[in-house]
Amino acid sequence: MTGILLALRNVAISYGGIRAVKGIDLEVARGELVCLIGTNGAGKTTTLKGICGLLPLTTGTIEYDGADVTGRPAFELVRKGLALVPEGRGMFGALTIDENLTMGAYARRDRPVIAQDVERVFALFPRLKERRKQTAGTLSGGEQQMLAIARAMMSRPRMLLLDEPSMGLAPLMVQKVFETILDVAQEGVTILLVEQNAKLALDVADRGYVMESGEVTLAGKASSLLHDPKVRAAYLGEAA
Amino acid sequence: MDTFLQQLVNGVTLGSVYAIVALGYTMVYGIIQLINFAHGEVVMLGAMVAYSVIVALAGAGGALPPLAILAIATLTAIPVCMVVGYLLERVAYRPLRRAPRLAPLITAIGLSIVLQNIALIIWTRNPLPYPQVIATVPYRLTATPDGATITNVQIGIIGLSIVMMAGLLLLVYRTRFGVAMRAVAQNPQVAGLMGIDINRIISATFALGAALAAVAGVMDASYYGVAHYQMGFLLGLKAFSAAVLGGIGNLAGAMLGGLLMGMIEALGAGYVGELTNLCHLSGWSDALAQRCVNDPHLELFGSNYQDVFAFVVLILVLVFRPSGLLGERVSDRA
Ligand SMILES: Nc1ncnc2c1ncn2[C@@H]1O[C@H](COP(=O)(O)OP(=O)(O)OP(=O)(O)O)[C@@H](O)[C@H]1O
Ligand SMILES: [Mg+2]
């Protein structure tokens, strides 16, 4: 077993003729919290979808837990402990909160432990517990984001991919979500976090990658990226 | 008033069968937005397979009690139909899942013709008299001697339908599999991210609809006492209309739509002659009055028009409420 849990090697992804990801390399070590930042349309979501088997790669390979998982369908990867919280949360709006959580644990067979885990995520998100019989579509945006993370936790992932968890949330809620992400990381879950909010992401992450028009242009320790003049100019709204 | 009660009983019986068939259309539509026009043929195959089993068992000396014969026949038809339903999806629809919607629709029509012809080869083109293994016993519903009745077969059909519908609702709303089914219907991509094998859920949905269709085929053929290789066509169209009436994609809608469709058809058949009897207009025309002295039944349409009602309903629904009685607005479905 190496220390690397997820590795992308020369991964390229196209939509028809449009090359959205142009051969990137990216690694996440076990227990690490890595963030991937970049402007709109940089190819971040496309990269995550490629990892999860939702989009085919044009070139390159994806290794997860020491095995080549290139081209494996999403449901298989979940069973190997790789969970994605998709952009826009991907709620099952007509299902109740309980049912959404049940679906999160779909890949698991250990029923009694699942019941315990439901209580555990409810302890993390008391708001969800109060509303457990309500359909997810009736939740506020922030509550839905909580549910999306809680649901992903229900699969007992070893690795969590988060696509813009702060999107559309009020500042207070954003803070809450990020606290939760840190809690999850503390439990030993490896995290790859995609964010528009570069400052927040770099604050919580160990390392970061910067993507621009389908390519990784910068990579390094989060603390050094935070002080990189180019990053400060482009993503933190400061004059270079 | 007795005609009304009698037609109501007949309508509920018919409606139960339509509802069970309509559920097959609506489950498949709900999960992959496909109208499986070959579903009616699966109903027909259910009736045919059960027919062969009944004939074989009844001919084998008749040692078995009638109810057992019927049960064995139905339990043989169910797995056969499930395999057919599964294969339809696996072989014909799955490769077309990303194709334009017209392609699977035309394929479905082609598959109906194929299945009809297979049945034609196996069971001939003649209407097969369905063996009445259970003697029909009518029970009077009113005190009057020639009043409305309900038969044991009707009671059996209605009761079995209720049990199946309740079972289906429990499955869909109370089990992990049911939640997964609804999750796939809502957002297949995210369902995959939950570790749900979407293809397995879709296969299971087809098989489940086909199992219901098999039972519906046996019920329909037992009720009318005849099975025919083309029986699935009209039955399927009516059940499809019922699903649209209730709101396609909606389980409760299919049940309600089926029941209403059965009642509309039965009451329509019962009253269309009466309502279109020109002799009601005798007061307006002496010529008419004179003719009606000899023949008081100068009816424009007779009960042979009963098949028309389903389609009148279908057209009215499509014009005035395309989303059906219980369906969400069409724009809500992406
Ligand atoms: N389904 C699609 N078909 C065609 N092009 C697409 C599709 N999805 C994304 N793209 C294009 O691919 C590029 C990368 O998109 P992607 O969604 O990965 O960006 P992103 O970095 O996640 O942006 P954002 O921060 O806005 O979410 C963009 O130019 C986008 O227009
Ligand atoms: Mg994105």
Side-chain angles (χ1 to χ4, degrees):
Chain A
M1 283 278 137
T2 62
I4 302 298
L5 185 56
L6 178 76
L8 278 66
R9 311 223 185 272
N10 191 30
V11 165
I13 301 169
S14 302
Y15 296 102
I18 305 163
R19 293 168 64 212
V21 175
K22 303 166 182 167
I24 64 167
D25 292 286
L26 187 153
E27 285 184 349
V28 185
R30 288 173 206 282
E32 223 182 359
L33 199 173
V34 172
C35 71
L36 177 60
I37 56 178
T39 48
N40 289 113
K44 306 180 298 291
T45 297
T46 306
T47 303
L48 290 191
K49 286 187 172 174
I51 296 172
C52 291
L54 295 178
L55 286 174
L57 310 189
T58 24
T59 64
T61 56
I62 291 162
E63 284 165 33
Y64 172 74
D65 200 16
D68 186 345
V69 296
T70 316
R72 305 314 307 164
F75 76 89
E76 269 187 41
L77 296 174
V78 183
R79 294 173 187 187
K80 293 184 202 287
L82 181 69
L84 167 70
V85 177
E87 195 173 35
R89 301 167 197 129
M91 284 294 94
F92 298 119
L95 267 52
T96 65
I97 288 161
D98 270 342
E99 288 172 336
N100 267 280
L101 293 176
T102 308
M103 288 300 98
Y106 189 84
R108 295 169 52 184
R109 290 281 173 263
D110 46 346
R111 295 228 177 163
V113 193
I114 291 175
Q116 282 171 22
D117 283 3
V118 170
E119 290 313 316
R120 215 164 53 108
V121 300
F122 279 151
L124 219 51
F125 306 105
R127 284 277 272 279
L128 296 181
K129 184 166 188 173
E130 293 162 26
R131 292 166 170 70
R132 60 192 298 176
K133 299 288 173 210
Q134 238 168 280
T135 54
T138 63
L139 295 177
S140 77
E143 290 162 349
Q144 288 191 14
Q145 190 64 60
M146 299 286 178
L147 178 55
I149 296 174
R151 188 178 63 181
M153 293 300 295
M154 288 303 298
S155 69
R156 282 252 178 138
R158 279 190 290 159
M159 175 154 199
L160 198 55
L161 310 177
L162 292 161
D163 197 349
E164 302 209 25
S166 75
M167 190 164 56
L169 300 186
L172 210 65
M173 215 52 175
V174 172
Q175 214 172 22
K176 187 114 204 288
V177 168
F178 269 76
E179 280 165 19
T180 312
I181 294 170
L182 277 174
D183 283 347
V184 172
Q186 227 101 71
E187 292 190 10
V189 178
T190 307
I191 294 177
L192 177 58
L193 169 66
V194 162
E195 256 301 332
Q196 287 274 336
N197 192 331
K199 169 88 174 62
L200 256 178
L202 290 169
D203 273 342
V204 297
D206 302 315
R207 286 191 307 118
Y209 288 83
V210 180
M211 242 183 130
E212 275 168 59
S213 2
E215 287 170 293
V216 171
T217 50
L218 267 176
K221 283 184 96 68
S223 51
S224 50
L225 285 179
L226 258 179
H227 297 108
D228 186 291
K230 275 184 288 181
V231 174
R232 295 184 79 90
Y235 302 104
L236 305 178
E238 288 177 19
Chain B
M1 211 51 213
D2 256 344
T3 316
F4 181 76
L5 190 58
Q6 187 62 62
Q7 293 303 345
L8 211 59
V9 170
N10 297 347
V12 172
T13 312
L14 259 183
S16 304
V17 177
Y18 292 159
I20 296 299
V21 181
L23 281 169
Y25 283 102
T26 231
M27 281 194 293
V28 164
Y29 186 87
I31 208 153
I32 52 170
Q33 287 76 53
L34 166 92
I35 293 163
N36 175 17
F37 270 121
H39 189 58
E41 270 55 51
V42 180
V43 177
M44 175 271 292
L45 286 178
M48 291 302 201
V49 170
Y51 167 85
S52 295
V53 175
I54 293 172
V55 169
L57 289 179
L64 284 166
L67 214 55
I69 293 179
L70 212 53
I72 293 171
T74 310
L75 291 176
T76 313
I78 289 173
V80 171
C81 287
M82 285 174 86
V83 169
V84 172
Y86 167 82
L87 286 177
L88 288 178
E89 192 275 330
R90 188 68 193 83
V91 176
Y93 298 139
R94 191 177 298 179
L96 296 173
R97 211 175 285 160
R98 280 167 212 285
R101 292 173 72 132
L102 201 54
L105 195 68
I106 292 169
T107 304
I109 294 168
L111 287 169
S112 308
I113 297 171
V114 169
L115 291 178
Q116 279 189 25
N117 280 280
I118 292 174
L120 170 67
I121 293 167
I122 302 176
W123 288 283
T124 78
R125 62 174 62 255
N126 305 315
L128 308 172
Y130 223 69
Q132 301 288 304
V133 282
I134 295 180
T136 306
V137 183
Y139 301 103
R140 249 191 271 135
L141 289 169
T142 55
T144 44
D146 55 350
T149 61
I150 185 166
T151 69
N152 53 346
V153 173
Q154 286 179 316
I155 294 172
I157 288 173
I158 296 168
L160 190 56
S161 300
I162 291 172
V163 169
M164 286 194 292
M165 288 191 262
L168 184 71
L169 287 178
L170 280 178
L171 180 73
V172 171
Y173 289 99
R174 287 281 177 275
T175 68
R176 208 172 77 105
F177 169 77
V179 183
M181 229 174 117
R182 285 181 289 139
V184 173
Q186 271 188 46
N187 191 336
Q189 202 174 60
V190 177
L193 291 174
M194 302 292 108
I196 300 171
D197 184 345
I198 301 158
N199 283 328
R200 267 181 64 175
I201 300 286
I202 293 172
S203 291
T205 304
F206 270 85
L208 193 60
L212 295 178
V215 182
V218 180
M219 295 196 298
D220 186 79
S222 305
Y223 186 48
Y224 286 114
V226 63
H228 186 241
Y229 79 100
Q230 281 177 330
M231 68 185 273
F233 177 71
L234 204 54
L235 180 57
L237 267 181
K238 287 176 183 174
F240 168 68
S241 306
V244 172
L245 170 63
I248 191 135
N250 183 309
L251 293 184
M255 299 177 190
L256 178 68
L259 204 60
L260 284 176
M261 190 61 87
M263 300 215 274
I264 290 166
E265 187 177 317
L267 291 173
Y271 285 103
V272 67
E274 178 71 11
L275 287 176
T276 59
N277 190 348
L278 294 179
C279 292
H280 290 310
L281 305 175
S282 294
W284 298 86
S285 147
D286 289 340
L288 205 56
Q290 250 161 34
R291 285 199 55 179
C292 287
V293 172
N294 298 326
D295 177 13
H297 292 288
L298 205 59
E299 289 156 1
L300 221 44
F301 301 109
S303 62
N304 51 338
Y305 275 82
Q306 69 175 62
D307 291 338
V308 171
F309 297 105
F311 307 110
V312 172
V313 170
L314 179 61
I315 290 164
L316 290 179
V317 172
L318 289 177
V319 170
F320 293 107
R321 200 180 156 84
S323 58
L325 295 175
L326 302 184
E328 57 250 76
R329 273 172 295 126
V330 174
S331 60
D332 288 353
R333 292 200 86 101

